[in-house]
Amino acid sequence: MEKELDWGNLSFGYMPTDYNVRCRYADGRWGDIEVSQSETIDMHMAATCLHYGQEIFEGLKAFRGKDGKIRIFRLEENARRIRESAKGLLMAELPEEKFIEMVRKVVELNARFVPPYGSGASLYIRPLEIGMTAQVGVKPASEYLFVIFVTPVGPYFKTGFRPTNICIMRQYDRVAPRGTGRWKVGGNYAASLTAGEHAHELGYSAVLYLDPKEKKYLDECGPANFIAIKDGVYITPESESILPSITNKSLMQLAEDMGIKVERRHITVDELAEIDEAAAVGTAAVASPVGRIDDLDTGIKYVVSKDGNPGPVVTRLYETLRGIQLGELPDTHGWNTVL
């Protein structure tokens, strides 16, 4: 680095690093892993990713631990999930072992960009796969490019671990029932931009979507899963249109380790009046506490945080997961890959 980065003041955005890694699929097979210093991709203007949305991606992080070692969190789960996304969009599935090798390689090549322990920052890892075949007929590509780049990012909570307000707006759907919601597809995020910007303009941090069929049950919370604590039980929505969050899966395991009952089930809007804590959970924030949920169609305001502070269970879960990622607490489930 030409000049030392201000690790404590990084944004959650893109910053160039030294290398990215690539792998191409053609003639029915994946090629060798390539190391590249280019930040661009050369593709045909008729590539299927540009016209028919054959694009999938993942997001995971590497951390500099208390012991100085680099830890990549749950990369095997991301390897499995992107294969499910590929299956859903009829794309070539990258073998899990190749995904793991590519992630390890790109992190090792860019090790100097892994922020120091105590900075609150991390190295964000972005794998993506795109259809490269030049065609105008609506059919799956026969050639694919898999790329993984990394970038150091700052802590999600610039103002500290504090509750934010979210809203319900029934005029927007994120995905269709039994559509692409369960896969990490760029189109899902494109479909959420209008609603997300509308919410931000109104002063909310995110939209809590309802199920797209009946508008009765809770679905996803913007780009994150929704969780709540009700009568000491960890509850999270059950739906075929929700992306299976690796963070949510990890927090559910930690909750069970703590003796907390976990339920994945339908949660009605009315039930929000009975919850004690809530959070949006995902790779970026781990757990973003919710202070209030405003139903903009009915005018009902569901106050989750009575004192403006995160709830005790969400706080404990957040601190435990962060502690495991940073090597401060024992990794009893073997979630970290230590380089």
Side-chain angles (χ1 to χ4, degrees):
M1 283 166 277
E2 293 72 22
K3 62 182 189 334
E4 184 64 23
L5 287 174
D6 184 358
W7 297 111
N9 287 300
L10 293 176
S11 65
F12 199 88
Y14 176 78
M15 176 183 294
T17 52
D18 291 334
Y19 303 98
N20 58 81
V21 295
R22 307 177 180 204
C23 190
R24 297 170 193 276
Y25 180 90
D27 301 319
R29 58 180 288 275
W30 288 98
D32 296 329
I33 297 171
E34 307 162 21
V35 176
S36 175
Q37 288 185 289
S38 172
E39 293 180 78
T40 63
I41 295 170
D42 185 22
M43 71 172 73
H44 196 284
M45 62 185 175
T48 55
C49 63
L50 299 177
H51 299 266
Y52 305 121
Q54 271 202 306
E55 183 276 349
I56 54 177
F57 70 102
E58 275 298 325
L60 60 160
K61 284 181 175 178
F63 303 86
R64 183 80 63 179
K66 192 175 184 179
D67 54 6
K69 294 178 181 175
I70 296 171
R71 287 168 170 78
I72 307 169
F73 188 67
R74 303 208 76 171
L75 80 165
E76 296 90 353
E77 285 291 326
N78 289 93
R80 289 186 199 108
R81 190 169 69 176
I82 202 163
R83 282 177 62 85
E84 285 301 311
S85 295
K87 206 178 292 182
L89 268 71
L90 289 180
M91 299 171 71
E93 298 170 39
L94 186 76
E96 286 180 30
E97 59 273 16
K98 189 150 240 174
F99 179 95
I100 291 166
E101 184 184 352
M102 289 177 75
V103 171
R104 290 184 67 118
K105 183 180 280 286
V106 77
V107 173
E108 287 167 351
L109 287 169
N110 294 287
R112 70 193 188 104
F113 289 97
V114 181
Y117 172 75
S119 63
S122 57
L123 187 73
Y124 188 78
I125 305 163
R126 169 51 60 85
L128 67 145
E129 182 180 345
I130 52 177
M132 298 289 280
T133 306
Q135 60 191 31
V136 289
V138 183
K139 60 183 178 180
S142 57
E143 297 175 353
Y144 295 91
L145 175 65
F146 202 104
V147 181
I148 307 181
F149 66 84
V150 298
T151 186
V153 294
Y156 188 84
F157 300 113
K158 287 294 184 188
T159 56
F161 183 64
R162 309 292 304 164
T164 61
N165 298 335
I166 62 176
C167 66
I168 295 169
M169 292 188 283
R170 287 172 182 76
Q171 72 262 46
Y172 298 112
D173 286 327
R174 189 183 67 89
V175 292
R178 298 184 184 178
T180 56
R182 74 200 94 162
W183 306 309
K184 203 163 177 67
V185 178
N188 296 345
Y189 296 81
S192 73
L193 292 175
T194 300
E197 285 305 300
H198 189 179
H200 294 156
E201 287 165 8
L202 295 173
Y204 298 99
S205 63
V207 177
L208 177 55
Y209 291 93
L210 302 184
D211 76 278
K213 187 177 181 181
E214 297 181 78
K215 296 288 185 181
K216 182 178 176 183
Y217 304 105
L218 305 187
D219 206 82
E220 281 217 287
C221 189
N225 274 194
F226 179 81
I227 69 164
I229 308 299
K230 178 189 173 186
D231 300 327
V233 178
Y234 180 120
I235 60 174
T236 192
E238 173 70 58
S239 167
E240 285 188 334
S241 61
I242 291 178
L243 181 75
S245 162
I246 294 165
T247 303
N248 196 357
K249 185 176 182 178
S250 305
L251 292 172
M252 284 191 275
Q253 180 62 63
L254 293 178
E256 289 179 347
D257 293 347
M258 296 171 184
I260 297 168
K261 186 181 177 186
V262 172
E263 293 178 354
R264 184 189 283 276
R265 61 172 174 79
H266 287 313
I267 303 171
T268 63
V269 179
D270 298 345
E271 200 173 341
L272 289 173
E274 302 162 11
I275 63 173
D276 306 304
E277 302 178 42
V281 302
T283 299
V286 177
S288 179
V290 172
R292 196 182 71 235
I293 305 166
D294 292 355
D295 189 329
L296 301 186
D297 298 301
T298 64
I300 298 172
K301 298 181 186 297
Y302 301 98
V303 179
V304 181
S305 173
K306 309 293 189 290
D307 59 2
N309 294 314
V313 179
V314 167
T315 301
R316 189 177 167 203
L317 288 168
Y318 169 77
E319 291 176 347
T320 302
L321 189 57
R322 291 283 294 151
I324 293 168
Q325 291 173 333
L326 295 170
E328 299 167 345
L329 295 174
D331 179 18
T332 54
H333 297 287
W335 288 341
N336 291 320
T337 297
V338 185
L339 301 184

